[in-house]
Amino acid sequence: MKFNNMSSLGKLTKARYLSSVFSLLIMLASVAIIVTNGFNWGLDFTGGIVTEVKLDPSIKAAQISQVLGHDSKQEVSVISAGEPGRWVLRYPKVDSGASADIQSVLAPLTDNVEVLNSSIVGPQIGQELAEQGGLALLAAMLCILGYLSFRFEWRLASGALLALFHDVIFVLAFFSLTQMEFNLTILAAVLAILGYSLNDSIVIADRVREVLIAKPKMAIDEICSSAVKATFSRTMVTSGTTLFTVAALWIMGGTPLQGFSIAMFLGIMIGTISSISVGTCLPEYLKVSAEHYKVEPISDAP
């Protein structure tokens, strides 16, 4: 039985090493994608006008974009609202010369134009939101770093922190690659992913520390693999149930929650992988050992 257990740990160790190489490639590719493509910033960050209208279902997005672009002298984003004939029109910048009456602008296409809602975000407000969003993300990462440094020795903490960075950069790269609109809802999803991924990493790191203290002579690769094996079923159940919830939100939440749901779905999946690969392989590479968690005896000397 012991031989079989050692054999399974050996296979798990190889799987961890392969997944860590895969994670490293993902991080490098993600950074390259973000640098190359940038983001399709939403009105929350850029400022502008967003109007939701309902037209004849036979009218195509290209026709709407052409008419609006001719009137406003600028590029207009036309996005389907998930219902035939329902569109979200986005002007990246407010142009005082553009026609204020969207119904008259779209008159060449149809006489039946129903404006459902319209809102304006000023450029100054958008800039402040972008700065505050970036500061919120930075503050969250610093708080997490402080907590991990207090909870674990820096070698184990570094694995959890790199796993967090891996998850966030992957989700950001997805939105950069697809050019889906990046707004405050997506930023909220990224912050939620930080907390979820941290939970997985801490559970595994805590198990690694327990085995290090209980079995100080055990090889570190076997310790990390046994920690992953001990927490694997718990991780799969937690991630699986959360994925079901997010999937339901994705399917039934409609267009307004689509970006949030996609970000959470990707973050949970990649977070489970990174906690197993990056979260355990980096501390092993940094030579974490039982000596780093050795409790010093209390001296009786005055």
Side-chain angles (χ1 to χ4, degrees):
M1 292 295 294
K2 184 176 180 181
F3 176 79
N4 291 335
N5 183 55
M6 294 298 292
S7 177
S8 63
L9 287 181
K11 292 178 180 179
L12 184 56
T13 300
K14 291 180 180 179
R16 287 194 302 109
Y17 291 162
L18 289 175
S19 63
S20 66
V21 173
F22 178 67
S23 296
L24 179 60
L25 294 176
I26 285 179
M27 281 192 287
L28 294 176
S30 297
V31 171
I33 289 171
I34 293 173
V35 171
T36 303
N37 294 350
F39 294 102
N40 178 23
W41 299 106
L43 288 178
D44 296 332
F45 298 112
T46 62
I49 301 176
V50 59
T51 303
E52 188 173 0
V53 298
K54 191 170 184 180
L55 309 173
D56 189 328
S58 63
I59 298 175
K60 305 300 181 184
Q63 296 173 277
I64 301 173
S65 182
Q66 182 179 2
V67 172
L68 291 175
H70 178 74
D71 175 77
S72 62
K73 303 298 188 295
Q74 59 182 316
E75 184 180 354
V76 178
S77 175
V78 181
I79 305 170
S80 174
E83 180 182 326
R86 192 166 176 171
W87 304 94
V88 175
L89 315 177
R90 189 184 71 178
Y91 297 75
K93 296 180 181 178
V94 177
D95 188 353
S96 58
S99 174
D101 188 358
I102 196 70
Q103 292 177 323
S104 63
V105 176
L106 295 175
L109 294 178
T110 178
D111 294 331
N112 186 18
V113 179
E114 182 182 354
V115 179
L116 302 177
N117 60 71
S118 183
S119 59
I120 299 176
V121 179
Q124 183 62 35
I125 297 177
Q127 183 180 358
E128 290 177 2
L129 287 174
E131 292 175 354
Q132 291 172 2
L135 288 175
L137 191 59
L138 178 61
M141 292 294 289
L142 290 176
C143 289
I144 289 172
L145 177 61
Y147 171 75
L148 290 175
S149 300
F150 171 78
R151 180 75 181 268
F152 301 105
E153 197 265 344
W154 71 270
R155 292 171 180 82
L156 273 180
S158 63
L161 190 63
L162 186 60
L164 292 181
F165 176 78
H166 169 275
D167 302 339
V168 170
I169 206 70
F170 175 81
V171 174
L172 293 179
F174 173 83
F175 282 90
S176 177
L177 181 64
T178 60
Q179 286 298 291
M180 291 179 63
E181 182 179 304
F182 192 94
N183 49 35
L184 286 178
T185 305
I186 307 303
L187 180 61
V190 172
L191 292 174
I193 290 168
L194 282 176
Y196 190 90
S197 179
L198 178 64
N199 179 60
D200 262 351
S201 299
I202 285 178
V203 169
I204 295 178
D206 206 35
R207 181 61 180 171
V208 170
R209 182 178 59 178
E210 289 178 1
V211 180
L212 277 172
I213 296 173
K215 302 177 180 179
K217 295 183 179 181
M218 189 176 182
I220 185 58
D221 60 331
E222 295 177 3
I223 289 177
C224 291
S225 295
S226 64
V228 170
K229 186 177 181 180
T231 58
F232 186 77
S233 60
R234 178 257 178 208
T235 299
M236 289 298 103
V237 170
T238 304
S239 299
T241 52
T242 310
L243 280 176
F244 277 121
T245 305
V246 173
L249 188 64
W250 185 355
I251 296 171
M252 304 178 66
T255 303
L257 292 177
Q258 185 181 50
F260 178 87
S261 304
I262 292 174
M264 287 296 298
F265 194 89
L266 293 173
I268 292 171
M269 285 199 306
I270 200 68
T272 302
I273 297 174
S274 67
S275 299
I276 295 173
S277 58
V278 179
T280 57
C281 288
L282 183 61
E284 182 180 336
Y285 177 78
L286 294 174
K287 307 298 183 183
V288 65
S289 67
E291 293 294 324
H292 301 131
Y293 292 95
K294 186 176 181 180
V295 179
E296 297 293 337
I298 300 176
S299 176
D300 295 330

